[in-house]
Amino acid sequence: MNQPTEPKADKSGVRRHNLSLVLRTVHEAGETTRAAVAARVGLTRPAVSSLVEQLLDLGFLVESGKTFSGQAGRPGTVLKPADTGPAGLGVEVNIDYVTVCVADLTGTDRIRRSERLDNRAAGAAEVLDRAARIAADALDEAADRGLVPAGAGLALPGLVTGGTVRQAPNLGWNEVDAERLFGEALAARRPGTGGPAGLALTSDNEANMAALAELWFGSLGDLRTFLYLTGEIGVGGAIVVRGELLRGAHGFAGEIGHLVVDAEGPRCRCGSRGCLEQYAGQAALLRAAAASDVAELVRRAESADQRALGALAEAGRMLGRALSGAVNLLDPEAVVLGGIYPLLMPWLAPAVAEELSERVVSGLWPQDAARLRAASPTSDAARGAAALVLHDVLTDPLAYATTVA
Amino acid sequence: MNQPTEPKADKSGVRRHNLSLVLRTVHEAGETTRAAVAARVGLTRPAVSSLVEQLLDLGFLVESGKTFSGQAGRPGTVLKPADTGPAGLGVEVNIDYVTVCVADLTGTDRIRRSERLDNRAAGAAEVLDRAARIAADALDEAADRGLVPAGAGLALPGLVTGGTVRQAPNLGWNEVDAERLFGEALAARRPGTGGPAGLALTSDNEANMAALAELWFGSLGDLRTFLYLTGEIGVGGAIVVRGELLRGAHGFAGEIGHLVVDAEGPRCRCGSRGCLEQYAGQAALLRAAAASDVAELVRRAESADQRALGALAEAGRMLGRALSGAVNLLDPEAVVLGGIYPLLMPWLAPAVAEELSERVVSGLWPQDAARLRAASPTSDAARGAAALVLHDVLTDPLAYATTVA
């Protein structure tokens, strides 16, 4: 939490900063009072009251009607972030589905739509138009419920920089200007809203977005240094070091799915051979198990079907082999498995743990079984993408005030 | 560079901070004047002059006798860091050698001793006593030359935390209290100096120390995010992100030598199979080439000996395979090869580059050949270890003033 800025040359800049400080303080607390905010941020009660009034007027905060007398002094009215008004739109475009969600300022996922679609069979513009269609529906529902998205986050299955997908091997995309295409498609579906339907767009790799969701909303507790793997058609990865994404020199870090587990293995769409996702990606896993979808795979594993169990054990071994390399390089506190993996943990985890135990130099694995974790079911890339928008709103609410007021 | 601290409550703390600021400014410039220091750090000329006088008195700075008139105003006497007085002792204990150096306050390596020794054949206490013997000789020579080491850095070939080698598979060490053993051995050889011969000790993995030497003294230019591999009996690794070592949650990050390049390959001393160092470590490479030492390997490669060329190409392929994984995970600006590798670059680099080109997802390799680099010949772990001591001196010179005065 930043310190308050005391008045200096630019008074309006100071007030803007302090509006953010008060809003973030209420957001972190969930529910609090003016007095508690003042104590926490080190501003005077009258200063905080004035800032709170403005945030109430602009629709960022609401009073709950309850009073709270836990603090010293007279009981205060309870403040909380508004659950209508400013919101974040999150859009995850993946290989075989699109998920859209709208999160309110408390971070709660209020609207969620997901469609199974084979995005490999369509061009980039068509895929992003599908995403825009689902997003437009979600925006209609948001409007009905009094939610006003301040921006949209796009989570994309590939290397993403500057709003462009540089490469997404499983979609066959190269240099796809995703923000522009999505924005234009959304504007066409919502005429009169200006630009990309009046929304500021931001975009990132889907594993990065999912890792942020896990960090902000998951059940990691104090863990702040972890690897995140997301099992989809591809296997995405993200690295979080002390609460920050490690992005690398060009924004391409975290490609765990393309660690080589067998140098002479099958050709991967990235151009290499024997990448992890050729063994532990959803498509490879279902093929090895001769299952038509993940639900069938789970059902057959539960009934001890040997082919399903064999495919899961092999995928677990390959996951463990790739993870042992990543753990030897990065020494994380934990490895978090997301996407389809949480459903498959009972069958994957033993093989993963065995490989980690044999191959991690420090010998720190897996005495502490809690270091291999399933991602929280509600923390996915779409939610992380929505949260990135909320993060921008919390950092400078005035920039979004016109959207709301 | 930090900003100067203006006088507040604790005047002596402020002066102490500003002494460091002035000393670091002169150190970075190499040669400068009082006026240029004042302009750079934002303190008044009289304040800087007073700080400089104290640093001259204590032996941290010297005046060169030259004057310098490049700045506005009258010519100033040239200041530079002292090349006698405060210094750093660096000690690298590796599998088959010990290197000791003494670096003066300019960072220049003034004394250097290296002995080939098979440290696998001796116990930890004996190995650290050997290092202490060589260090004691270097300290005698340092005293003759007016150099006064303020501390010693120990670079060790394994996982190091809290002064202890947690594991060094190639030495067979587990939980070896290296700082204590080295300090006691040095004290025994230099009686009457108190504790570990009056030296503050610090220790780290040798690849980390070598990477710091490359960062501070090498030829990386503006590169601040890189992987560093050091080819010795083992293969050490370090990760530098924006000028800082990435240490991981327990201090064990960077173990590139134990990335698996062939899961069913030969058993490694770490307990795993098919680790990179089983193919590209010095022992494996010499064995594959049937060469008795690196000089012979180079000689035979130069005369196009097929066995030597084959061994180098295979080692290069395995290096490239492991590095492609590390690059996919970390997206560095460059990979720097140290230890024995700089001598072998003509034969290793083509195979490394081919693997990187095939296997790095972003396709960014190796269009820019400068991204695969040989370490600077003068930047090794011993020098990095000495530099860590100098870093402490520069950060708080007064703490080391009694050593010097």
Side-chain angles (χ1 to χ4, degrees):
Chain A
M1 175 74 51
N2 292 348
Q3 293 301 304
T5 304
E6 292 304 329
K8 277 188 297 197
D10 178 3
K11 284 203 180 179
S12 69
V14 171
R15 186 167 178 91
R16 196 162 184 151
H17 172 91
N18 287 344
L19 282 167
S20 165
L21 186 64
V22 168
L23 179 58
R24 282 180 284 138
T25 303
V26 178
H27 175 79
E28 281 176 25
E31 295 196 334
T32 187
T33 62
R34 289 170 178 76
V37 171
R40 171 84 197 216
V41 305
L43 290 169
T44 62
R45 268 297 296 272
V48 167
S49 289
S50 161
L51 294 161
V52 165
E53 290 317 307
Q54 188 172 356
L55 290 167
L56 289 166
D57 286 349
L58 293 171
F60 293 102
L61 294 181
V62 291
E63 290 180 317
S64 78
K66 287 191 288 185
T67 55
F68 182 67
S69 54
Q71 306 291 121
R74 46 186 188 134
T77 307
V78 168
L79 295 169
K80 53 186 193 178
D83 62 0
T84 56
L89 176 70
V91 179
E92 178 184 3
V93 176
N94 217 309
I95 315 303
D96 58 341
Y97 64 88
V98 171
T99 297
V100 170
C101 74
V102 178
D104 67 24
L105 205 53
T106 71
T108 305
D109 206 350
R110 298 283 302 283
I111 297 168
R112 171 165 286 257
R113 286 157 185 252
S114 197
E115 284 189 25
R116 293 257 145 219
L117 294 161
D118 189 351
N119 289 325
R120 287 168 293 198
E126 187 180 342
V127 169
L128 290 160
D129 185 62
R130 292 171 176 176
R133 171 179 54 75
I134 302 168
D137 285 350
L139 289 171
D140 286 343
E141 186 180 343
D144 292 346
R145 299 171 69 171
L147 291 162
V148 186
L154 285 180
L156 299 156
L159 306 177
V160 181
T161 57
T164 297
V165 178
R166 301 297 166 190
Q167 203 186 348
N170 284 307
L171 287 173
W173 291 9
N174 284 293
E175 301 296 327
V176 167
D177 192 355
E179 282 186 17
R180 184 181 59 79
L181 290 170
F182 176 80
E184 287 174 2
L186 194 58
R189 289 177 180 277
R190 294 173 65 81
T193 50
L199 297 173
L201 299 182
T202 183
S203 53
D204 202 345
N205 172 272
E206 47 94 25
N208 280 351
M209 295 283 204
L212 287 179
E214 191 66 30
L215 180 70
W216 290 335
F217 307 119
S219 53
L220 291 175
D222 291 335
L223 287 180
R224 285 291 174 271
T225 296
F226 60 96
L227 298 178
Y228 188 95
L229 258 74
T230 169
E232 311 287 353
I233 301 276
V235 175
I239 302 165
V240 178
V241 177
R242 291 196 294 268
E244 302 273 348
L245 282 172
L246 187 115
R247 295 186 173 279
H250 314 89
F252 300 157
E255 288 295 326
I256 297 174
H258 298 283
L259 291 189
V260 174
V261 293
D262 180 356
E264 307 304 325
R267 182 66 67 184
C268 180
R269 295 182 69 93
C270 77
S272 181
R273 284 186 175 281
C275 295
L276 172 62
E277 73 178 43
Q278 295 304 315
Y279 301 87
Q282 178 184 304
L285 184 52
L286 294 179
R287 195 167 49 239
S292 60
D293 59 21
V294 175
E296 185 195 333
L297 177 61
V298 169
R299 217 161 40 236
R300 285 182 30 212
E302 281 171 342
S303 59
D305 174 274
Q306 287 306 305
R307 184 152 183 191
L309 294 178
L312 286 162
E314 176 71 358
R317 259 192 301 281
M318 295 306 192
L319 271 172
R321 196 181 285 179
L323 282 172
S324 68
V327 169
N328 279 330
L329 271 180
L330 294 163
D331 182 24
E333 292 169 278
V335 170
V336 181
L337 301 181
I340 64 170
Y341 295 143
L343 292 168
L344 305 173
M345 283 299 267
W347 305 284
L348 294 173
V352 174
E354 191 181 327
E355 288 284 321
L356 287 170
S357 175
E358 180 182 349
R359 298 190 188 274
V360 172
V361 180
S362 66
L364 285 179
W365 291 75
Q367 293 95 318
D368 178 0
R371 296 181 67 195
L372 180 65
R373 308 166 73 100
S376 305
T378 57
S379 305
D380 66 354
R383 190 157 183 229
L388 263 189
V389 174
L390 298 175
H391 182 266
D392 290 344
V393 174
L394 293 169
T395 302
D396 187 10
L398 271 196
Y400 298 91
T402 52
T403 322
V404 177
Chain B
M1 177 74 50
N2 292 348
Q3 294 300 305
T5 304
E6 293 303 329
K8 279 187 296 198
D10 178 2
K11 284 203 179 178
S12 70
V14 171
R15 186 168 179 91
R16 197 162 181 149
H17 172 90
N18 287 344
L19 282 168
S20 165
L21 185 63
V22 168
L23 179 58
R24 282 180 285 138
T25 302
V26 178
H27 174 79
E28 280 177 25
E31 294 196 334
T32 188
T33 62
R34 288 169 178 79
V37 171
R40 171 83 198 219
V41 304
L43 289 170
T44 62
R45 269 293 298 273
V48 168
S49 288
S50 160
L51 294 161
V52 165
E53 290 317 307
Q54 189 173 355
L55 291 167
L56 288 166
D57 286 348
L58 292 171
F60 292 102
L61 294 181
V62 291
E63 291 180 316
S64 76
K66 287 191 288 185
T67 56
F68 183 66
S69 53
Q71 306 291 119
R74 42 183 192 138
T77 306
V78 168
L79 295 169
K80 53 187 194 180
D83 63 1
T84 57
L89 176 70
V91 179
E92 179 185 3
V93 176
N94 217 308
I95 315 303
D96 58 341
Y97 65 87
V98 171
T99 297
V100 170
C101 74
V102 178
D104 68 24
L105 205 52
T106 71
T108 305
D109 206 350
R110 297 283 302 283
I111 297 168
R112 172 165 285 258
R113 286 156 185 250
S114 197
E115 284 189 23
R116 293 256 144 221
L117 294 161
D118 189 350
N119 289 325
R120 288 168 292 198
E126 187 181 340
V127 168
L128 290 160
D129 185 61
R130 291 172 176 174
R133 169 178 56 73
I134 302 169
D137 286 350
L139 289 172
D140 287 342
E141 187 179 342
D144 292 345
R145 298 170 69 171
L147 291 161
V148 186
L154 285 179
L156 298 156
L159 307 177
V160 181
T161 57
T164 296
V165 177
R166 300 297 166 191
Q167 203 186 348
N170 286 306
L171 288 172
W173 291 9
N174 284 294
E175 301 296 326
V176 167
D177 192 355
E179 282 186 16
R180 184 181 59 78
L181 290 169
F182 175 80
E184 287 174 3
L186 193 59
R189 289 179 180 276
R190 296 173 63 82
T193 50
L199 298 173
L201 299 182
T202 182
S203 53
D204 203 344
N205 172 272
E206 48 94 24
N208 280 351
M209 295 284 204
L212 288 179
E214 190 67 30
L215 180 70
W216 290 334
F217 307 119
S219 52
L220 291 175
D222 290 335
L223 288 180
R224 285 291 174 274
T225 296
F226 60 95
L227 298 178
Y228 188 96
L229 259 71
T230 170
E232 313 286 355
I233 302 278
V235 175
I239 301 165
V240 178
V241 177
R242 291 195 295 267
E244 302 272 348
L245 282 172
L246 188 116
R247 295 186 173 279
H250 314 89
F252 300 157
E255 288 294 326
I256 298 174
H258 298 282
L259 291 190
V260 174
V261 292
D262 179 356
E264 306 305 326
R267 180 65 67 183
C268 180
R269 296 182 69 94
C270 78
S272 181
R273 286 186 174 281
C275 294
L276 173 63
E277 73 179 42
Q278 296 303 316
Y279 300 88
Q282 178 183 306
L285 185 51
L286 295 180
R287 195 167 51 239
S292 59
D293 59 22
V294 175
E296 186 196 332
L297 177 60
V298 169
R299 218 161 40 235
R300 284 182 30 210
E302 281 172 342
S303 59
D305 174 272
Q306 286 307 304
R307 184 152 183 191
L309 294 178
L312 286 162
E314 176 70 358
R317 260 192 302 280
M318 295 306 192
L319 270 172
R321 198 180 284 177
L323 281 172
S324 68
V327 168
N328 279 331
L329 271 180
L330 294 163
D331 183 22
E333 293 170 276
V335 170
V336 181
L337 301 181
I340 64 169
Y341 294 142
L343 293 168
L344 305 173
M345 284 297 267
W347 305 284
L348 293 173
V352 174
E354 191 180 326
E355 288 285 321
L356 288 170
S357 174
E358 180 181 348
R359 297 190 189 274
V360 171
V361 181
S362 66
L364 285 179
W365 291 77
Q367 293 95 318
D368 179 359
R371 296 182 66 197
L372 181 66
R373 307 165 72 100
S376 306
T378 57
S379 304
D380 67 354
R383 190 156 182 229
L388 264 189
V389 174
L390 298 176
H391 183 266
D392 289 344
V393 175
L394 293 170
T395 301
D396 187 8
L398 271 196
Y400 297 92
T402 51
T403 321
V404 177

